[in-house]
Amino acid sequence: MDSIWNQKFVRDLLLTVVLSVIVAAACFYGPTIHLPFLVGLIVGLLIGWLQPRKGWILALLQVVLIIGWYFVIEAAHWMTPFDADATKFTALLQFFPVLVGGFLAGFIRRAFS
């Protein structure tokens, strides 16, 4: 059994941190929930594809980081939300598309490898 902290996992961990900022920012731009959820799903698919066996760790970290970045962006007033209620709703419910996307991509990659 190999160690979890290999070079590929650390690279994907850094990618997860950067992508969480993008998903949190997408929550501020969308007038509805569709665009932020689509971005979250695409990011989840990418995480699951890059790490088919350990992607669930990155997906859980992604969810925590998205919620954290939402509160940081809101408290610092870096971006003005298009709709404050929709922004908060999409940021707090990003766990669904990220985890589902990560599971699906990891399952598909493991099934056909």
Side-chain angles (χ1 to χ4, degrees):
M1 185 167 153
D2 61 332
S3 173
I4 192 170
W5 295 103
N6 57 21
Q7 185 178 8
K8 185 178 175 186
F9 185 77
V10 172
R11 179 203 63 193
D12 294 340
L13 181 69
L14 294 174
L15 183 65
T16 299
V17 172
V18 172
L19 290 174
S20 67
V21 177
I22 294 170
V23 175
C27 293
F28 281 84
Y29 281 115
T32 62
I33 64 169
H34 301 101
L35 176 66
F37 279 2
L38 177 66
V39 173
L41 181 67
I42 291 170
V43 166
L45 289 169
L46 179 66
I47 290 170
W49 188 261
L50 291 175
Q51 288 288 333
R53 300 218 182 269
K54 299 178 236 176
W56 64 273
I57 298 169
L58 295 176
L60 288 175
L61 177 66
Q62 180 81 25
V63 169
V64 171
L65 287 173
I66 289 169
I67 294 171
W69 277 113
Y70 164 75
F71 286 116
V72 168
I73 291 171
E74 183 182 46
H77 301 290
W78 289 341
M79 302 171 85
T80 305
F82 189 82
D83 181 8
D85 293 332
T87 300
K88 189 172 188 176
F89 179 76
T90 56
L92 296 178
L93 285 181
Q94 280 295 332
F95 69 88
F96 187 71
V98 170
L99 292 175
V100 167
F103 171 75
L104 287 175
F107 177 76
I108 290 171
R109 184 158 180 204
R110 281 181 290 171
F112 295 109
S113 297

